[in-house]
Amino acid sequence: MEQQTIVTALRGLRRPASLEELQNLLGVEEEELKDAAEALAERGEALLTRKGKLALPEQLGLIYGRVQGNARGFGFFIPQNGGDDLYLGAEAMNGAMHNDKVWARETGSRTRAGSGEAEVAFIAARANARVVGTFASDGLGGGRVTPDETKLSHDVTIPMGQIKTAKSGEKVVAEITAYPDERHGLEGRVVEVLGSKYAAGTDILSVIRRLDLPDSFPKAALRLAQSLNAPVSDDAAARREDLTGALIITIDGADAKDLDDAVSLTRLKNGNYLLGVHIADVSHYIAEGSALDKEAYKRGTSVYFPDRVLPMFPPDVSNGVCSLNADEKKLTLSCVMELDAAGKPVAYRLAETVIKTAHRMTYEDVNAMFAGDAALLKEYEDVAPMLLEMRALMRLLNARRVQRGSIDFDLDEAKIALDQNGRAKSVSLRERGEAERMIEEFMLLANETVARHVESLKLPFLYRVHEKPDGEKLETLSAFLETLGYGIKSHGDVKPMHFQRLLNRVKGTPEENVVSRVTLRSLKKARYSEQNLGHFGLASEHYCHFTSPIRRYPDLIVHRIVKETLRGGVNKRRAARWATYLPQAALHCSNREVVAVEAERMADNLKKCEYMLGRIGAEETGVISGVAQYGFYVELPNTVEGMVRLQSIEGDFYVCDEKNYRIVGRSNGRVFRLGDSVKVRVAGVDMENANISFELVNGAAKAGAKKEPRKAYKTPRGESAPAKKAAGEGKQKRGGRGRASSKTRAARKAPRR
């Protein structure tokens, strides 16, 4: 049923109502009503009271959202449907912990910094059933666990006899048996010992457990995957368009095993290009509601770590039956697009196909061929002409995308190499050559084409959306850019083109990376939605995720809908089912993506710290990438980031000038701004909190910083020295033990389009 119908009914009643009352009023099945009510509650559009009644938030004066905790006991309430974050004093937390979903009530009070305050009315869903941390024995058969998550303010008390085999200093998983209240603190029991915190692999395993990422599959799912991993039958192939005679290749990273996209290109007699994007037909093998489908939905996405992959499907599916391995028949869903000589799409068709790829090619080899590698050109002489045509088409497509205003955040990304023991041996920049850009352009075009196709049929669909940035963040960004001599115009009607022009202006400058990352942080995050809201970053009116169904569940949903359109259309019953299902699936998949990105970021940071352990004392040159109340962050050319604490800088007392995104010496007027180049020495590494400490090399302050006219520096009005408020404190500060960040702190990953 339409969830909006329930909302309308509640508004008409002007009071909470029981599910039985709503069922009688709306004349719907109990199970259908219950599913729709749960979906509304999950999105924060309604809530079930303790008496079992469904209510609209406005009827109770409550707001739905999550808690962002702090190690000192207070927190922030982050409304799910937007709006300013609200401060939660320690007494207003009412037992809530970091990431708990809660209903909160504004108190009407304000902090000294001007932020609104709230109190937790009741906890809708606990986020922390288990805690990962370091165990310390009390010597009496019990102990405590200090959480790895710095935003949790409580250690977990472990009673006598509940420590399993844990020893002091080991990483463990503690199951919470009692949440904090007025009478007692956080209590639990050890359910898994991960091993010594110094052992190789324990760091990544701790991240996996901390974020509750599934790293194994139930036996039923594994058995089903194994039964599916068989060659394509003649019967299955006969029902599809046969493209096994076409010249089709895959191009991926050298270490990739889940090959879910392949490409082909021919020139037509009229001079047009015929581009084929062929995607593994995972939906043929994964039935809705099956054991594999449920496990994939729960995960939402594959997660990629430096030392392992947590796949969305078992290897028999992801690396086996669905992987487009060379010289094997594979079932695919193809998007074949005709483009004119200027790269403009003029026609397309979607089809269920069977293919056989000629080569499993790597980005490295294709880039070498583009550079003229004679040996590789000879080895792949059958596809070399096609690859050169593909490169030419890529350039046309990119030019068209740039022309319409698409933003290309060409951010540096780390490539972390591990030794045979799983420890980081190097951190370098991951190269992004023409081969990578080529596949990206082809996938973007296919995603747009499929989204436009389904929208034209006016069917329920799952879009990938990216909304316009809000005015407040634009003003903050503009204020920062002005300190560097840049700016964003037309705040009232900002367009992607304005960001594109900015990034072009900073290209090649020392501050390019910082400006790119800060600009990215000012934009909203891309997400999944049942509504077509367009994609601001790509300057696209229609966009979806179609090209990676092995590793992203939304792509699998898109495939299912597309295949229904190819098999006679989507009937009213199915359309109604999709309309009910897609909103909750969009929210779930968006949330799972956020968790995956966070897990990958945490793992990368740990490995970067591990690498820097061997470089303590080394001198490096980097760029100031963020400022905070107690220091500034410096990013090295290989993306490793560390902090120079203000107390370590000799010769003056330094404070944070939040308004101008800089650190200033009160007496000598020396200034450290974002984008400034500084020389630092690696002073230390804190593996517990994944922090790296830098100190300025003698003379670096003079060489790397600008100097103001000699005068005493006054702190901003209403603040004392050191400043009460770090840059961005409120929305972005909440780092807990040693991890408070500024609002200009560099984003760590390129956007997932």
Side-chain angles (χ1 to χ4, degrees), residues 551-605:
R551 62 183 180 89
R552 291 187 307 223
Y553 197 85
D555 303 56
L556 180 57
I557 294 174
V558 166
H559 276 226
R560 286 170 173 161
I561 295 174
V562 168
K563 285 178 70 173
E564 287 186 26
T565 71
L566 298 177
R567 295 180 173 183
V570 181
N571 60 39
K572 288 184 178 180
R573 182 185 64 82
R574 287 292 289 173
R577 187 264 178 191
W578 284 120
T580 301
Y581 169 76
L582 289 174
Q584 65 194 60
L587 178 62
H588 171 78
C589 291
S590 296
N591 290 339
R592 294 313 302 166
E593 180 186 43
V594 169
V595 174
V597 170
E598 175 67 4
E600 292 168 0
R601 184 194 66 80
M602 289 168 58
D604 283 359
N605 285 348

Side-chain angles (χ1 to χ4, degrees), residues 62-74:
L62 300 178
I63 315 169
Y64 186 72
R66 71 179 179 88
V67 171
Q68 179 83 63
N70 186 282
R72 289 181 285 173
F74 63 85

Side-chain angles (χ1 to χ4, degrees), residues 257-278:
K257 296 178 181 178
D258 49 351
L259 314 179
D260 51 10
D261 59 85
V263 291
S264 61
L265 185 69
T266 56
R267 292 299 291 267
L268 302 175
K269 291 181 179 179
N270 62 4
N272 287 356
Y273 296 93
L274 191 65
L275 172 66
V277 174
H278 314 279

Side-chain angles (χ1 to χ4, degrees), residues 508-661:
T509 65
E511 62 267 20
E512 176 185 359
N513 217 32
V514 170
V515 170
S516 294
R517 291 177 188 274
V518 174
T519 301
L520 176 60
R521 285 177 67 89
S522 74
L523 300 178
K524 293 185 177 180
K525 292 180 180 179
R527 61 185 178 88
Y528 298 103
S529 174
E530 74 283 4
Q531 301 177 56
N532 183 15
L533 304 175
H535 197 294
F536 181 83
L538 293 172
S540 177
E541 294 181 2
H542 314 83
Y543 197 67
C544 72
H545 273 170
F546 164 77
T547 53
S548 296
I550 289 178
R551 62 183 180 89
R552 291 187 307 223
Y553 197 85
D555 303 56
L556 180 57
I557 294 174
V558 166
H559 276 226
R560 286 170 173 161
I561 295 174
V562 168
K563 285 178 70 173
E564 287 186 26
T565 71
L566 298 177
R567 295 180 173 183
V570 181
N571 60 39
K572 288 184 178 180
R573 182 185 64 82
R574 287 292 289 173
R577 187 264 178 191
W578 284 120
T580 301
Y581 169 76
L582 289 174
Q584 65 194 60
L587 178 62
H588 171 78
C589 291
S590 296
N591 290 339
R592 294 313 302 166
E593 180 186 43
V594 169
V595 174
V597 170
E598 175 67 4
E600 292 168 0
R601 184 194 66 80
M602 289 168 58
D604 283 359
N605 285 348
L606 284 168
K607 288 303 179 185
K608 288 177 182 179
C609 287
E610 187 175 71
Y611 169 69
M612 295 304 286
L613 277 172
R615 295 194 57 76
I616 292 177
E619 295 184 359
E620 308 273 3
T621 298
V623 173
I624 296 178
S625 56
V627 296
Q629 184 176 355
Y630 41 81
F632 57 83
Y633 295 93
V634 176
E635 184 178 291
L636 305 183
N638 63 356
T639 76
V640 169
E641 192 177 42
M643 167 166 274
V644 175
R645 292 193 171 269
L646 300 187
Q647 64 191 32
S648 73
I649 308 175
E650 298 178 354
D652 203 353
F653 184 84
Y654 289 87
V655 294
C656 174
D657 176 6
E658 174 191 1
K659 182 178 178 181
N660 294 299
Y661 305 89

Side-chain angles (χ1 to χ4, degrees), residues 213-407:
L213 297 172
D215 62 343
S216 61
F217 290 91
K219 291 181 179 179
L222 290 172
R223 284 195 298 268
L224 179 56
Q226 188 176 26
S227 71
L228 295 173
N229 194 8
V232 172
S233 67
D234 292 339
D235 186 48
R239 298 193 186 98
R240 294 171 174 255
E241 182 178 341
D242 189 351
L243 298 180
T244 55
L247 185 58
I248 301 175
I249 59 172
T250 60
I251 308 176
D252 292 273
D255 56 351
K257 296 178 181 178
D258 49 351
L259 314 179
D260 51 10
D261 59 85
V263 291
S264 61
L265 185 69
T266 56
R267 292 299 291 267
L268 302 175
K269 291 181 179 179
N270 62 4
N272 287 356
Y273 296 93
L274 191 65
L275 172 66
V277 174
H278 314 279
I279 308 300
D281 188 1
V282 180
S283 63
H284 174 85
Y285 297 97
I286 309 301
E288 290 184 59
S290 66
L292 283 172
D293 187 49
K294 290 177 181 177
E295 287 299 312
Y297 180 80
K298 180 170 72 174
R299 287 161 170 78
T301 179
S302 297
V303 187
Y304 296 85
F305 295 117
D307 67 342
R308 71 193 80 183
V309 176
L310 300 186
M312 193 172 77
F313 291 109
D316 276 318
V317 172
S318 60
N319 303 348
V321 66
C322 289
S323 186
L324 306 182
N325 304 320
D327 205 33
E328 294 179 12
K329 279 187 178 182
K330 295 291 180 178
L331 302 182
T332 48
L333 197 53
S334 296
C335 178
V336 182
M337 298 157 284
E338 182 179 347
L339 305 103
D340 65 19
K344 179 183 178 181
V346 295
Y348 74 90
R349 65 186 181 87
L350 304 175
E352 296 179 69
T353 54
V354 57
I355 68 169
K356 182 185 288 187
T357 57
H359 297 288
R360 186 267 195 254
M361 306 200 70
T362 67
Y363 291 128
E364 295 82 355
D365 283 352
V366 174
N367 282 325
M369 292 171 69
F370 287 159
D373 188 303
L376 286 170
L377 286 168
K378 181 171 178 57
E379 181 181 352
Y380 296 109
E381 59 184 357
D382 58 330
V383 294
M386 181 176 73
L387 286 170
L388 294 176
E389 291 275 23
M390 285 181 169
R391 180 173 65 172
L393 177 59
M394 175 271 290
R395 291 172 176 173
L396 292 173
L397 292 174
N398 182 257
R400 287 181 55 82
R401 195 160 56 81
V402 169
Q403 186 177 30
R404 77 189 188 197
S406 180
I407 310 169

Side-chain angles (χ1 to χ4, degrees), residues 176-205:
I176 295 176
T177 56
Y179 289 95
D181 59 25
E182 295 176 352
R183 292 174 295 175
H184 55 70
L186 194 60
E187 295 181 3
R189 61 189 182 93
V190 174
V191 293
E192 184 180 4
V193 178
L194 304 181
S196 168
K197 60 184 178 182
Y198 302 110
T202 301
D203 50 359
I204 305 299
L205 184 57

